Amino acid sequence: MRVAVKVRLKRSILDPQGKTVQQALQHLGFEQIREVRIGKLIELEIEEGQSREKIQQMLEAAGRKLLSNPVMEDFEIEYPGELP
Amino acid sequence: MKSAVIVFPGSNCDHDMLRALTLMGHRAEFVWHKTGNLSGYDLAALPGGFSYGDYLRAGAIARFSAIMKAVADFAAKGKPVLGICNGFQVLTEAGLLPGALLRNQNLRFICRPVYLRAENLRTRFTRAIQPGTTLKIPIAHGEGRFHIDPDGLKQLQDREQIVFRYANARGETDPGANPNGSLDHVAGIINREGNVLGMMPHPERAMEAILGSEDGRRIFESLSA
């Protein structure tokens, strides 16, 4: 099963990369785009046959311990079907 | 004094650090990150560089090296740990220092000398610095913007854990003297116990006048004092 972990900077933290991209979009004429914030999408392939609860616990631990830095980032887990 | 210079894959200031320590009369040795033991050493130095290619976040992978368990034990015994640049990033990721280092506000990798104001001269890393002087020391980083939540910042301020701030040559913290957008001009902090220091500037690159400055010596002199 393929699961995605989305990691993004906390709202309270300035994202200069997003701001620069937003300005570039403005220059291209995409003037309706008011704000851009850039994060990371981490895709994980997970062994089948485990309960959703167990996977959720594991991914929360992985997100907290390594995939995000809780000082500056939040993360969200997305399961198949929830993915676009 | 016997010092360990910890080497991760991607460390690139390890030789500068070894030379700086040797210049100051330390017996310094490289210690590979897979080593799980720091017994016999009096100082652990985490040098600058790009450990594990800065993958995921700067310092995020290095903190799981075997040596980091040894560094945590070493620090818990009250022994001095010095993290420079990537070493500082590793120490924050490992939770040995609070806060985090984010992408520079202007998104550029900045490599130039800056001036530092030493704010707390009672630490074992700063006691040889003369009050009222600034230190000219180079920075070389893309991710040095210090961040911490408001409560954390207040604790650092109240407990005098902010050891270095970016300043101008006169020692004033005007906004133009903050190269990377660090919160409260933070360039270096110390843990509550006073034995783990992390700083983004590179004192080991400011050891000889012919290279532009020898102000970095004050930090190593403090350690030897």
mmCIF file of all heavy atoms in Angstrom, chain A residues 19-48:
data_model
loop_
_atom_site.group_PDB
_atom_site.id
_atom_site.type_symbol
_atom_site.label_atom_id
_atom_site.label_comp_id
_atom_site.label_asym_id
_atom_site.label_seq_id
_atom_site.Cartn_x
_atom_site.Cartn_y
_atom_site.Cartn_z
ATOM 1 N N LYS A 19 7.296 32.402 -0.843
ATOM 2 C CA LYS A 19 7.097 33.815 -1.183
ATOM 3 C C LYS A 19 7.754 34.142 -2.537
ATOM 4 O O LYS A 19 7.187 34.845 -3.373
ATOM 5 C CB LYS A 19 7.716 34.673 -0.068
ATOM 6 C CG LYS A 19 7.239 36.095 -0.063
ATOM 7 C CD LYS A 19 7.487 36.718 1.312
ATOM 8 C CE LYS A 19 6.753 38.004 1.496
ATOM 9 N NZ LYS A 19 7.079 39.101 0.698
ATOM 10 N N THR A 20 8.949 33.586 -2.743
ATOM 11 C CA THR A 20 9.660 33.833 -3.999
ATOM 12 C C THR A 20 8.886 33.235 -5.168
ATOM 13 O O THR A 20 8.750 33.861 -6.229
ATOM 14 C CB THR A 20 11.069 33.213 -3.923
ATOM 15 O OG1 THR A 20 11.716 33.742 -2.780
ATOM 16 C CG2 THR A 20 11.893 33.531 -5.150
ATOM 17 N N VAL A 21 8.353 32.042 -4.986
ATOM 18 C CA VAL A 21 7.587 31.399 -6.054
ATOM 19 C C VAL A 21 6.302 32.193 -6.322
ATOM 20 O O VAL A 21 5.908 32.395 -7.477
ATOM 21 C CB VAL A 21 7.278 29.927 -5.677
ATOM 22 C CG1 VAL A 21 6.283 29.315 -6.649
ATOM 23 C CG2 VAL A 21 8.569 29.110 -5.665
ATOM 24 N N GLN A 22 5.681 32.686 -5.252
ATOM 25 C CA GLN A 22 4.459 33.486 -5.421
ATOM 26 C C GLN A 22 4.764 34.741 -6.249
ATOM 27 O O GLN A 22 4.013 35.105 -7.148
ATOM 28 C CB GLN A 22 3.902 33.853 -4.042
ATOM 29 C CG GLN A 22 2.513 34.456 -4.061
ATOM 30 C CD GLN A 22 2.540 35.972 -3.917
ATOM 31 O OE1 GLN A 22 3.506 36.526 -3.423
ATOM 32 N NE2 GLN A 22 1.479 36.618 -4.360
ATOM 33 N N GLN A 23 5.911 35.376 -5.970
ATOM 34 C CA GLN A 23 6.284 36.571 -6.726
ATOM 35 C C GLN A 23 6.536 36.228 -8.198
ATOM 36 O O GLN A 23 6.136 36.975 -9.096
ATOM 37 C CB GLN A 23 7.521 37.230 -6.105
ATOM 38 C CG GLN A 23 7.164 38.009 -4.836
ATOM 39 C CD GLN A 23 8.375 38.339 -3.975
ATOM 40 O OE1 GLN A 23 9.509 37.991 -4.310
ATOM 41 N NE2 GLN A 23 8.134 38.981 -2.847
ATOM 42 N N ALA A 24 7.185 35.083 -8.437
ATOM 43 C CA ALA A 24 7.442 34.659 -9.820
ATOM 44 C C ALA A 24 6.120 34.402 -10.541
ATOM 45 O O ALA A 24 5.967 34.746 -11.723
ATOM 46 C CB ALA A 24 8.307 33.405 -9.821
ATOM 47 N N LEU A 25 5.164 33.806 -9.826
ATOM 48 C CA LEU A 25 3.844 33.563 -10.434
ATOM 49 C C LEU A 25 3.163 34.888 -10.795
ATOM 50 O O LEU A 25 2.552 35.007 -11.856
ATOM 51 C CB LEU A 25 2.971 32.752 -9.460
ATOM 52 C CG LEU A 25 3.380 31.275 -9.303
ATOM 53 C CD1 LEU A 25 2.691 30.659 -8.093
ATOM 54 C CD2 LEU A 25 3.062 30.469 -10.565
ATOM 55 N N GLN A 26 3.303 35.871 -9.914
ATOM 56 C CA GLN A 26 2.750 37.209 -10.193
ATOM 57 C C GLN A 26 3.338 37.762 -11.490
ATOM 58 O O GLN A 26 2.613 38.265 -12.341
ATOM 59 C CB GLN A 26 3.094 38.167 -9.042
ATOM 60 C CG GLN A 26 2.404 37.839 -7.740
ATOM 61 C CD GLN A 26 1.130 38.640 -7.532
ATOM 62 O OE1 GLN A 26 1.131 39.838 -7.714
ATOM 63 N NE2 GLN A 26 0.070 37.949 -7.187
ATOM 64 N N HIS A 27 4.665 37.629 -11.614
ATOM 65 C CA HIS A 27 5.331 38.147 -12.818
ATOM 66 C C HIS A 27 4.827 37.442 -14.070
ATOM 67 O O HIS A 27 4.801 38.020 -15.148
ATOM 68 C CB HIS A 27 6.853 37.975 -12.710
ATOM 69 C CG HIS A 27 7.477 38.909 -11.729
ATOM 70 N ND1 HIS A 27 7.281 40.265 -11.759
ATOM 71 C CD2 HIS A 27 8.287 38.668 -10.669
ATOM 72 C CE1 HIS A 27 7.941 40.829 -10.753
ATOM 73 N NE2 HIS A 27 8.555 39.885 -10.074
ATOM 74 N N LEU A 28 4.449 36.168 -13.922
ATOM 75 C CA LEU A 28 3.944 35.417 -15.076
ATOM 76 C C LEU A 28 2.490 35.771 -15.395
ATOM 77 O O LEU A 28 1.929 35.261 -16.353
ATOM 78 C CB LEU A 28 4.039 33.914 -14.795
ATOM 79 C CG LEU A 28 5.413 33.280 -14.973
ATOM 80 C CD1 LEU A 28 5.403 31.868 -14.427
ATOM 81 C CD2 LEU A 28 5.815 33.265 -16.447
ATOM 82 N N GLY A 29 1.887 36.576 -14.553
ATOM 83 C CA GLY A 29 0.512 36.988 -14.798
ATOM 84 C C GLY A 29 -0.527 36.241 -13.976
ATOM 85 O O GLY A 29 -1.719 36.466 -14.147
ATOM 86 N N PHE A 30 -0.067 35.335 -13.108
ATOM 87 C CA PHE A 30 -1.030 34.625 -12.243
ATOM 88 C C PHE A 30 -1.320 35.479 -11.008
ATOM 89 O O PHE A 30 -0.903 35.154 -9.900
ATOM 90 C CB PHE A 30 -0.474 33.257 -11.828
ATOM 91 C CG PHE A 30 -0.227 32.330 -12.984
ATOM 92 C CD1 PHE A 30 1.066 32.051 -13.406
ATOM 93 C CD2 PHE A 30 -1.292 31.734 -13.653
ATOM 94 C CE1 PHE A 30 1.299 31.191 -14.463
ATOM 95 C CE2 PHE A 30 -1.066 30.867 -14.719
ATOM 96 C CZ PHE A 30 0.228 30.604 -15.128
ATOM 97 N N GLU A 31 -2.013 36.566 -11.252
ATOM 98 C CA GLU A 31 -2.131 37.564 -10.190
ATOM 99 C C GLU A 31 -3.114 37.172 -9.089
ATOM 100 O O GLU A 31 -3.088 37.748 -8.011
ATOM 101 C CB GLU A 31 -2.517 38.917 -10.790
ATOM 102 C CG GLU A 31 -1.301 39.602 -11.382
ATOM 103 C CD GLU A 31 -1.631 40.526 -12.544
ATOM 104 O OE1 GLU A 31 -2.822 40.873 -12.701
ATOM 105 O OE2 GLU A 31 -0.708 40.872 -13.286
ATOM 106 N N GLN A 32 -3.969 36.193 -9.399
ATOM 107 C CA GLN A 32 -4.957 35.791 -8.388
ATOM 108 C C GLN A 32 -4.323 34.933 -7.285
ATOM 109 O O GLN A 32 -4.952 34.690 -6.262
ATOM 110 C CB GLN A 32 -6.107 34.981 -9.020
ATOM 111 C CG GLN A 32 -6.719 35.607 -10.256
ATOM 112 C CD GLN A 32 -5.967 35.188 -11.525
ATOM 113 O OE1 GLN A 32 -4.731 35.167 -11.568
ATOM 114 N NE2 GLN A 32 -6.713 34.871 -12.568
ATOM 115 N N ILE A 33 -3.099 34.434 -7.519
ATOM 116 C CA ILE A 33 -2.470 33.563 -6.511
ATOM 117 C C ILE A 33 -1.838 34.443 -5.441
ATOM 118 O O ILE A 33 -0.866 35.132 -5.675
ATOM 119 C CB ILE A 33 -1.430 32.628 -7.155
ATOM 120 C CG1 ILE A 33 -2.134 31.744 -8.199
ATOM 121 C CG2 ILE A 33 -0.737 31.767 -6.088
ATOM 122 C CD1 ILE A 33 -1.215 30.858 -9.000
ATOM 123 N N ARG A 34 -2.449 34.394 -4.282
ATOM 124 C CA ARG A 34 -2.084 35.330 -3.207
ATOM 125 C C ARG A 34 -0.952 34.816 -2.331
ATOM 126 O O ARG A 34 -0.191 35.568 -1.777
ATOM 127 C CB ARG A 34 -3.297 35.598 -2.319
ATOM 128 C CG ARG A 34 -4.382 36.381 -2.998
ATOM 129 C CD ARG A 34 -4.180 37.881 -2.767
ATOM 130 N NE ARG A 34 -4.914 38.633 -3.770
ATOM 131 C CZ ARG A 34 -4.353 39.367 -4.725
ATOM 132 N NH1 ARG A 34 -3.049 39.485 -4.801
ATOM 133 N NH2 ARG A 34 -5.084 40.003 -5.599
ATOM 134 N N GLU A 35 -0.913 33.511 -2.144
ATOM 135 C CA GLU A 35 0.104 32.970 -1.235
ATOM 136 C C GLU A 35 0.544 31.596 -1.711
ATOM 137 O O GLU A 35 -0.272 30.826 -2.223
ATOM 138 C CB GLU A 35 -0.458 32.848 0.196
ATOM 139 C CG GLU A 35 0.639 32.633 1.224
ATOM 140 C CD GLU A 35 0.146 32.258 2.613
ATOM 141 O OE1 GLU A 35 -1.052 31.961 2.792
ATOM 142 O OE2 GLU A 35 0.991 32.242 3.529
ATOM 143 N N VAL A 36 1.836 31.324 -1.568
ATOM 144 C CA VAL A 36 2.371 29.998 -1.894
ATOM 145 C C VAL A 36 3.180 29.524 -0.697
ATOM 146 O O VAL A 36 3.968 30.287 -0.145
ATOM 147 C CB VAL A 36 3.290 30.052 -3.137
ATOM 148 C CG1 VAL A 36 3.916 28.687 -3.414
ATOM 149 C CG2 VAL A 36 2.516 30.534 -4.359
ATOM 150 N N ARG A 37 2.955 28.295 -0.291
ATOM 151 C CA ARG A 37 3.799 27.703 0.753
ATOM 152 C C ARG A 37 4.261 26.347 0.254
ATOM 153 O O ARG A 37 3.469 25.583 -0.292
ATOM 154 C CB ARG A 37 3.047 27.598 2.084
ATOM 155 C CG ARG A 37 2.736 28.991 2.647
ATOM 156 C CD ARG A 37 2.058 28.936 3.975
ATOM 157 N NE ARG A 37 2.893 28.396 5.041
ATOM 158 C CZ ARG A 37 3.791 29.101 5.728
ATOM 159 N NH1 ARG A 37 3.997 30.375 5.462
ATOM 160 N NH2 ARG A 37 4.483 28.539 6.695
ATOM 161 N N ILE A 38 5.533 26.071 0.435
ATOM 162 C CA ILE A 38 6.120 24.856 -0.138
ATOM 163 C C ILE A 38 6.443 23.864 0.964
ATOM 164 O O ILE A 38 7.020 24.232 1.989
ATOM 165 C CB ILE A 38 7.377 25.218 -0.960
ATOM 166 C CG1 ILE A 38 6.935 26.083 -2.154
ATOM 167 C CG2 ILE A 38 8.120 23.966 -1.415
ATOM 168 C CD1 ILE A 38 8.050 26.557 -3.035
ATOM 169 N N GLY A 39 6.044 22.627 0.734
ATOM 170 C CA GLY A 39 6.337 21.565 1.699
ATOM 171 C C GLY A 39 6.929 20.373 0.986
ATOM 172 O O GLY A 39 7.406 20.480 -0.142
ATOM 173 N N LYS A 40 6.871 19.236 1.654
ATOM 174 C CA LYS A 40 7.430 18.014 1.069
ATOM 175 C C LYS A 40 6.359 16.943 1.030
ATOM 176 O O LYS A 40 5.547 16.835 1.947
ATOM 177 C CB LYS A 40 8.553 17.457 1.956
ATOM 178 C CG LYS A 40 9.789 18.294 1.980
ATOM 179 C CD LYS A 40 10.755 17.738 3.012
ATOM 180 C CE LYS A 40 11.737 18.827 3.392
ATOM 181 N NZ LYS A 40 12.318 18.624 4.704
ATOM 182 N N LEU A 41 6.388 16.136 -0.008
ATOM 183 C CA LEU A 41 5.506 14.980 -0.115
ATOM 184 C C LEU A 41 6.390 13.739 -0.079
ATOM 185 O O LEU A 41 7.246 13.569 -0.943
ATOM 186 C CB LEU A 41 4.714 15.033 -1.424
ATOM 187 C CG LEU A 41 3.779 13.854 -1.633
ATOM 188 C CD1 LEU A 41 2.565 13.962 -0.724
ATOM 189 C CD2 LEU A 41 3.338 13.782 -3.072
ATOM 190 N N ILE A 42 6.221 12.932 0.948
ATOM 191 C CA ILE A 42 7.040 11.729 1.092
ATOM 192 C C ILE A 42 6.137 10.519 0.859
ATOM 193 O O ILE A 42 5.147 10.338 1.567
ATOM 194 C CB ILE A 42 7.679 11.677 2.491
ATOM 195 C CG1 ILE A 42 8.511 12.947 2.723
ATOM 196 C CG2 ILE A 42 8.525 10.421 2.660
ATOM 197 C CD1 ILE A 42 8.974 13.133 4.150
ATOM 198 N N GLU A 43 6.468 9.705 -0.158
ATOM 199 C CA GLU A 43 5.662 8.514 -0.447
ATOM 200 C C GLU A 43 6.312 7.293 0.174
ATOM 201 O O GLU A 43 7.521 7.096 0.048
ATOM 202 C CB GLU A 43 5.528 8.328 -1.958
ATOM 203 C CG GLU A 43 4.637 9.388 -2.571
ATOM 204 C CD GLU A 43 4.348 9.116 -4.037
ATOM 205 O OE1 GLU A 43 5.144 8.399 -4.686
ATOM 206 O OE2 GLU A 43 3.333 9.619 -4.521
ATOM 207 N N LEU A 44 5.504 6.469 0.831
ATOM 208 C CA LEU A 44 6.018 5.294 1.514
ATOM 209 C C LEU A 44 5.242 4.065 1.042
ATOM 210 O O LEU A 44 4.017 4.113 0.952
ATOM 211 C CB LEU A 44 5.825 5.440 3.033
ATOM 212 C CG LEU A 44 6.350 6.736 3.646
ATOM 213 C CD1 LEU A 44 5.648 7.037 4.942
ATOM 214 C CD2 LEU A 44 7.840 6.648 3.881
ATOM 215 N N GLU A 45 5.982 3.012 0.742
ATOM 216 C CA GLU A 45 5.340 1.758 0.352
ATOM 217 C C GLU A 45 5.281 0.879 1.610
ATOM 218 O O GLU A 45 6.318 0.603 2.213
ATOM 219 C CB GLU A 45 6.171 1.092 -0.761
ATOM 220 C CG GLU A 45 5.546 -0.116 -1.400
ATOM 221 C CD GLU A 45 4.260 0.202 -2.160
ATOM 222 O OE1 GLU A 45 4.223 1.219 -2.883
ATOM 223 O OE2 GLU A 45 3.289 -0.576 -2.009
ATOM 224 N N ILE A 46 4.109 0.470 1.990
ATOM 225 C CA ILE A 46 3.952 -0.241 3.264
ATOM 226 C C ILE A 46 3.445 -1.655 3.027
ATOM 227 O O ILE A 46 2.572 -1.870 2.188
ATOM 228 C CB ILE A 46 2.988 0.535 4.183
ATOM 229 C CG1 ILE A 46 3.608 1.914 4.419
ATOM 230 C CG2 ILE A 46 2.754 -0.193 5.500
ATOM 231 C CD1 ILE A 46 2.861 2.772 5.345
ATOM 232 N N GLU A 47 4.019 -2.621 3.767
ATOM 233 C CA GLU A 47 3.610 -4.032 3.667
ATOM 234 C C GLU A 47 2.116 -4.164 3.892
ATOM 235 O O GLU A 47 1.568 -3.585 4.813
ATOM 236 C CB GLU A 47 4.307 -4.837 4.769
ATOM 237 C CG GLU A 47 5.560 -5.535 4.339
ATOM 238 C CD GLU A 47 6.215 -6.238 5.522
ATOM 239 O OE1 GLU A 47 5.488 -6.907 6.276
ATOM 240 O OE2 GLU A 47 7.427 -6.079 5.672
ATOM 241 N N GLU A 48 1.501 -5.011 3.077
ATOM 242 C CA GLU A 48 0.055 -5.263 3.229
ATOM 243 C C GLU A 48 -0.185 -6.124 4.471
ATOM 244 O O GLU A 48 0.748 -6.697 5.028
ATOM 245 C CB GLU A 48 -0.485 -6.011 1.998
ATOM 246 C CG GLU A 48 -0.255 -5.296 0.674
ATOM 247 C CD GLU A 48 -1.098 -4.034 0.498
ATOM 248 O OE1 GLU A 48 -2.099 -3.872 1.224
ATOM 249 O OE2 GLU A 48 -0.736 -3.195 -0.356
#
